[in-house]
């Protein structure tokens, strides 16, 4: 499927998360159409909008959200209250899956010497605590990294002068990283900061000098080989791989600016870089950004950051598999698409990997086909509520899996 978000007006989708089954949660703003800033759009598995929640108008606070993560029992969001300088302040909140606010916290500190007015990123820690980073974008420029417990109460805070942090990484249970840029209003450089679980700075590494725009956003991931990938939307859409000790292993710039400045970039408002099992990286980018309708593309590069093809776009999959409705009770229709005639086996498994039922095992012609599963096992007895894996095997080799949620 493809959803045209232009119906939301001239705004930005800042973050999108999913439960991996049947729901997507997209948050808009800040930027573009201010009336659509701070709105949560709840979408089904086909990306159709089911409902929305308007935080911009919550208690007339004008809330803007920059980052969001999905939890077992809801969503955690980080942003700021836009009340105009100097009254703007950081804002975090937890909601349920319908967008209803469970709890919320603001800075509460209107001392201008310590005031931090924006939050850029939220990171969920293994013990259910949260890590946040933010900054104050007016003299004196000040960065803040802080940790809260599961209900938003602050456990520790680390302030730093003249830095704007834009991304966080929980490397392990006791080691965290923050990445951002110095802010001297002329030229800055990247800073990778290593902290322990109590917020004590263990080391700082200066990276990537002579950046002219210190507000660029960034994201980090821990790579399969236990190093760190940093990606940000500077002039040429850059990614860099560094060791945990801040040594740059390689740097790559992918997009051509031409002669008109920031025409292309990697739009990183929230997590938009992934590493595949084979080590390749996939991330999104925008080209022709200054046009009214810029082109969105995906890039896939190898472990060394090299593009294997001049074609940025990843070709569509040859096959497809989904079920509807999902969640379901008591039955669901499984639909699969194959591009050539093939021997097909379609079966249901539980999360322990045990086969529950074989739906079909036959030769099918190319095209789309649908099979009903009535929620029973091989003995035609109803199965219990839970998540089930739907597995499609094509010509005894290609395997495609999707998930279905049975609710009684």
């Amino acid at each position: 499927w493809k959803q045209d978000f232009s119906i939301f007006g001239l705004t930005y989708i800042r973050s999108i998360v999913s439960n991996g089954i049947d729901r997507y949660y997209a948050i808009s703003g800040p930027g573009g159409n201010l009336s659509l800033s701070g709105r949560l759009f709840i979408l089904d598995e086909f990306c159709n909008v089911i409902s929305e929640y308007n935080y911009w108008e919550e208690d007339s606070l004008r809330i803007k959200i920059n980052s969001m993560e999905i939890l077992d029992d809801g969503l955690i969001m980080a942003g700021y209250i836009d009340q105009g300088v100097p009254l703007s302040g950081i804002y975090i909140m937890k909601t349920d899956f319908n967008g209803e606010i469970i709890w919320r916290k603001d800075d509460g500190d209107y001392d201008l010497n310590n005031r931090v007015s924006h939050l850029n990123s939220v990171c969920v820690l293994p013990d259910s605590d949260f890590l946040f980073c933010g900054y104050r974008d007016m003299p004196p420029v000040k960065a803040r990294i802080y940790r809260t417990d599961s209900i938003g109460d602050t456990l520790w805070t680390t302030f730093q002068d003249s830095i704007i942090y834009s991304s966080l990484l929980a490397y392990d249970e006791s080691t965290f990283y923050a990445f951002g840029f110095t802010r001297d209003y002329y030229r800055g450089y990247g800073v990778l900061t290593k902290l322990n679980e109590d917020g004590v700075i263990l080391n700082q590494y200066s990276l990537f000098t002579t950046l002219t725009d210190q507000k660029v956003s960034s994201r980090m991931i821990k790579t399969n080989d236990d190093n760190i990938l940093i990606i940000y939307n500077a002039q040429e859409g850059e990614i860099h791989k560094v060791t945990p000790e801040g040594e740059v292993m390689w740097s790559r710039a992918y997009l051509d600016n031409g002669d008109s400045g920031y025409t292309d970039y990697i739009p990183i408002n929230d997590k938009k870089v992934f590493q595949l099992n084979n080590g390749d990286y996939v991330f999104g980018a925008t080209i022709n950004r200054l046009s009214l309708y810029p082109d969105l593309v995906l890039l896939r590069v190898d472990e060394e950051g090299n593009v294997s093809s001049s074609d940025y776009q990843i070709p569509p999959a040859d096959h497809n598999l989904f079920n509807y409705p999902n969640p379901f009770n008591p039955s669901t229709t499984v639909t699969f698409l194959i591009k050539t005639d093939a021997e097909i086996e379609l079966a249901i498994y539980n999360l322990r990997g045990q086969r529950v039922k074989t739906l079909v095992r036959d030769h099918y012609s190319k095209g789309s086909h649908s099979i009903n599963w009535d929620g029973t096992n091989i003995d035609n007895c109803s199965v219990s509520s839970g998540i089930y894996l739907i597995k499609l095997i094509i010509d005894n080799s290609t395997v495609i899996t999707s998930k279905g949620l049975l609710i009684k």
Side-chain angles (χ1 to χ4, degrees), residues 210-282:
T210 66
L211 288 170
T212 56
D213 183 357
Q214 299 88 29
K215 283 188 178 182
V216 295
S217 58
S218 65
R219 285 299 174 261
M220 292 186 286
I221 62 169
K222 184 179 180 180
T223 60
N224 294 345
D225 57 1
D226 296 331
N227 290 297
I228 300 170
L229 192 79
I230 303 173
I231 179 170
Y232 58 88
N233 66 344
Q235 289 102 320
E236 295 178 339
E238 299 177 21
I239 67 174
H240 307 264
K241 188 174 182 180
V242 303
T243 68
E245 291 73 40
E247 178 184 353
V248 178
M249 302 174 68
W250 52 256
S251 300
R252 303 283 184 265
Y254 298 98
L255 306 177
D256 181 11
N257 284 312
D259 298 323
S260 55
Y262 287 42
T263 57
D264 303 335
Y265 78 137
I266 299 172
I268 317 160
N269 297 311
D270 208 6
K271 291 182 178 178
K272 287 187 174 64
V273 56
F274 305 93
Q275 187 168 25
L276 307 181
N277 291 334
N278 69 346
D280 289 356
Y281 301 103
V282 177

Side-chain angles (χ1 to χ4, degrees), residues 62-127:
R62 295 174 57 152
I63 298 168
K64 296 181 176 180
I65 304 299
N66 281 328
S67 183
M68 173 174 60
E69 294 285 353
I70 193 165
L71 310 171
D72 291 338
D73 57 350
L75 305 166
I76 182 72
M77 304 182 193
Y80 62 97
I81 302 171
D82 183 10
Q83 295 293 312
V85 177
L87 298 181
S88 295
I90 60 176
Y91 190 87
I92 62 175
M93 64 182 171
K94 181 179 178 180
T95 74
D96 61 21
F97 289 122
N98 295 318
E100 297 288 340
I101 297 174
I102 298 174
W103 56 257
R104 59 188 180 185
K105 307 275 184 174
D106 62 20
D107 195 333
D109 179 7
Y110 285 86
D111 176 0
L112 293 184
N113 291 322
N114 288 319
R115 187 70 170 163
V116 175
S117 54
H118 291 71
L119 283 183
N120 276 334
S121 186
V122 55
C123 180
V124 183
L125 303 182
D127 59 1

Side-chain angles (χ1 to χ4, degrees), residues 129-148:
D129 287 355
F130 303 117
L131 196 67
F132 300 90
C133 69
Y135 67 94
R136 170 186 170 85
D137 187 30
M138 58 178 293
V141 173
K142 185 182 292 289
R144 177 183 181 185
I145 305 169
Y146 71 107
R147 181 174 183 168
T148 76

Side-chain angles (χ1 to χ4, degrees), residues 83-383:
Q83 295 293 312
V85 177
L87 298 181
S88 295
I90 60 176
Y91 190 87
I92 62 175
M93 64 182 171
K94 181 179 178 180
T95 74
D96 61 21
F97 289 122
N98 295 318
E100 297 288 340
I101 297 174
I102 298 174
W103 56 257
R104 59 188 180 185
K105 307 275 184 174
D106 62 20
D107 195 333
D109 179 7
Y110 285 86
D111 176 0
L112 293 184
N113 291 322
N114 288 319
R115 187 70 170 163
V116 175
S117 54
H118 291 71
L119 283 183
N120 276 334
S121 186
V122 55
C123 180
V124 183
L125 303 182
D127 59 1
S128 299
D129 287 355
F130 303 117
L131 196 67
F132 300 90
C133 69
Y135 67 94
R136 170 186 170 85
D137 187 30
M138 58 178 293
V141 173
K142 185 182 292 289
R144 177 183 181 185
I145 305 169
Y146 71 107
R147 181 174 183 168
T148 76
D149 60 19
S150 60
I151 59 172
D153 291 335
T154 301
L155 302 177
W156 53 255
T157 295
T158 297
F159 285 103
Q160 288 183 275
D161 293 330
S162 302
I163 296 178
I164 293 178
Y165 283 122
S166 56
S167 60
L168 295 165
L169 173 65
Y171 188 84
D172 55 38
E173 292 184 359
S174 60
T175 308
F176 310 140
Y177 287 89
F179 179 78
F181 302 90
T182 61
R183 186 66 187 271
D184 56 13
Y185 293 95
Y186 294 99
R187 289 186 180 272
Y189 55 88
V191 176
L192 180 65
T193 300
K194 183 178 182 180
L195 308 96
N196 67 12
E197 68 271 25
D198 296 318
V200 176
I201 295 177
L202 304 177
N203 216 328
Q204 282 191 313
Y205 312 98
S206 298
L207 309 168
F208 327 137
T209 58
T210 66
L211 288 170
T212 56
D213 183 357
Q214 299 88 29
K215 283 188 178 182
V216 295
S217 58
S218 65
R219 285 299 174 261
M220 292 186 286
I221 62 169
K222 184 179 180 180
T223 60
N224 294 345
D225 57 1
D226 296 331
N227 290 297
I228 300 170
L229 192 79
I230 303 173
I231 179 170
Y232 58 88
N233 66 344
Q235 289 102 320
E236 295 178 339
E238 299 177 21
I239 67 174
H240 307 264
K241 188 174 182 180
V242 303
T243 68
E245 291 73 40
E247 178 184 353
V248 178
M249 302 174 68
W250 52 256
S251 300
R252 303 283 184 265
Y254 298 98
L255 306 177
D256 181 11
N257 284 312
D259 298 323
S260 55
Y262 287 42
T263 57
D264 303 335
Y265 78 137
I266 299 172
I268 317 160
N269 297 311
D270 208 6
K271 291 182 178 178
K272 287 187 174 64
V273 56
F274 305 93
Q275 187 168 25
L276 307 181
N277 291 334
N278 69 346
D280 289 356
Y281 301 103
V282 177
F283 53 95
T286 301
I287 59 177
N288 303 321
R289 182 161 69 103
L290 295 185
S291 68
L292 182 59
Y293 299 103
D295 297 321
L296 304 177
V297 298
L298 288 178
L299 286 86
R300 179 170 177 170
V301 302
D302 63 20
E303 286 185 283
E304 299 299 318
N306 300 307
V307 181
S308 58
S309 170
S310 60
D311 183 4
Y312 286 147
Q313 293 183 329
I314 297 176
D318 290 335
H319 312 288
N320 197 7
L321 172 69
F322 66 92
N323 66 293
Y324 185 83
N326 192 16
F328 63 94
N329 179 25
S331 64
T332 186
T333 298
V334 181
T335 299
F336 60 91
L337 171 68
I338 54 176
K339 291 297 183 69
T340 60
D341 298 352
E343 296 295 326
I344 295 299
E345 179 179 309
L346 186 65
I348 307 297
Y349 290 78
N350 60 29
L351 291 181
R352 295 189 296 274
Q354 299 168 325
R355 185 182 292 243
V356 174
K357 190 171 188 176
T358 300
L359 300 184
V360 297
R361 186 184 288 117
D362 204 348
H363 184 85
Y364 278 80
S365 59
K366 67 178 182 179
S368 180
H369 306 273
S370 295
I371 305 294
N372 184 71
W373 180 42
D374 59 3
T376 62
N377 60 20
I378 193 172
D379 298 319
N380 292 322
C381 297
S382 296
V383 298

